[in-house]
Amino acid sequence: MSAAAPAAGDFESLSVSIDDGIAIVTLDRPETRNVISDEPIVSELPAACAAFNADPSIRAVVLTGAGSAFSAGGNVRKMLDREGMFAGSPAEIAAAYRSGIQTLIRAVHGLAMPSVAAVNGPAIGAGFDLALACDLRLAARTAKFGETFVTLGLVAGDGGSWLLPRVVGEQRAAELAFTGRVIDADEAVRLGVVLDVYDADALLPAALDLARTIASQPGLATRYTKRLLRNAQTGSFDEVLDAAAEMQAELHGTAEHLAAVQALIDRQQAAKRQRAQQPNSGRT
């Protein structure tokens, strides 16, 4: 493990392990259904993400939840009691959103390497938006997803109104956000929210298999590919092409690129030799 990578003992609200370039992060407050609006998670998850970004050996991140839920989102008891980030004047609450839960979502969305959400149970409100902040999502059959803010008289305060339309399209995002309708795992596949659905005991192995496939690719190229895909969401075609040219110029000089090209040429030459040694059966 790189010295920059965090260890499990560094956190109260997270369980973190590093295995062969893959960071596995578990939201570890099952007694609260992994709410993400409280300390210490609003500080710890951004800190973990920053450490991953600074460590070139980390090539993929898997995010999941402990217990029966992925994340219930905000702490509704504290909303009712006007405690924590929900306390104070409107200006103070707005500042708490910006310095708290929005920082957490920004950190996950801003991971330099590909991220996979293994959604093990309900992902509701901000919990849904946390899953959407990941690049790829797999779900257990027990998973449910809901952009439920309007049912509590709220809006998505953590980026869901930007994230959701980019995953399901503007009209479906509007339907889900205006109604607060909760969808099950099968509908989530049909809408493109998740890639596939698994039995509970197969979910994390499937997420790790996907992460290992990603992590087997050249690390800098994978990070740059993610950056280009993100740039394409907001930049023009010409801007993306220009950025791609700059990245290619750097990547062509990397040892990983040169080794991969040499390996491809070696495989092609070996296949050519093998074909040449085969008898020309059936020819006259």
Side-chain angles (χ1 to χ4, degrees), residues 218 220-221 249-260:
L220 184 59
E250 179 179 352
L251 290 168
H252 274 296
T254 62
E256 283 187 311
H257 163 68
L258 296 173

Side-chain angles (χ1 to χ4, degrees), residues 20-213:
D20 198 21
I22 300 168
I24 305 166
V25 181
T26 304
L27 310 177
D28 199 10
R29 281 293 181 264
E31 69 279 5
T32 70
R33 295 176 64 79
N34 301 318
V35 298
I36 57 172
S37 57
D38 299 342
E39 287 289 358
I41 193 170
V42 294
S43 297
E44 290 183 345
L45 190 52
C49 291
F52 300 150
N53 285 346
D55 186 345
S57 74
I58 305 299
R59 299 192 174 203
V61 174
V62 174
L63 179 64
T64 192
S68 61
F70 177 75
S71 174
N75 189 324
V76 294
R77 172 55 61 182
K78 290 189 176 181
M79 291 181 195
L80 181 63
D81 295 339
R82 304 297 298 273
E83 295 178 353
M85 65 171 288
F86 311 111
S89 68
E92 289 170 328
I93 294 173
Y97 268 89
R98 294 187 181 104
S99 65
I101 197 168
Q102 289 185 355
T103 300
L104 179 150
I105 298 289
R106 284 178 187 272
V108 173
H109 186 260
L111 282 166
M113 68 293 299
S115 56
V116 181
V119 184
N120 55 295
I124 303 299
F128 186 15
D129 295 343
L130 177 62
L132 293 171
C134 295
D135 299 299
L136 303 165
R137 290 163 295 281
L138 306 178
R141 299 195 187 282
T142 55
K144 296 182 183 299
F145 302 85
E147 194 78 347
T148 55
F149 299 94
V150 71
T151 66
L152 297 179
L154 298 171
V155 299
D158 43 59
S161 57
W162 191 90
L163 294 164
L164 186 58
R166 285 164 169 78
V167 173
V168 300
E170 291 185 5
Q171 182 169 233
R172 182 60 70 185
E175 184 263 326
L176 293 174
F178 292 159
T179 66
R181 185 168 68 87
V182 175
I183 62 175
D184 63 16
D186 289 334
E187 185 173 3
V189 172
R190 293 196 299 272
L191 297 182
V193 172
V194 299
L195 289 173
D196 212 341
V197 179
Y198 299 86
D199 292 335
D201 59 353
L203 174 65
L204 190 55
L208 291 173
D209 282 346
L210 179 57
R212 289 188 191 100
T213 300

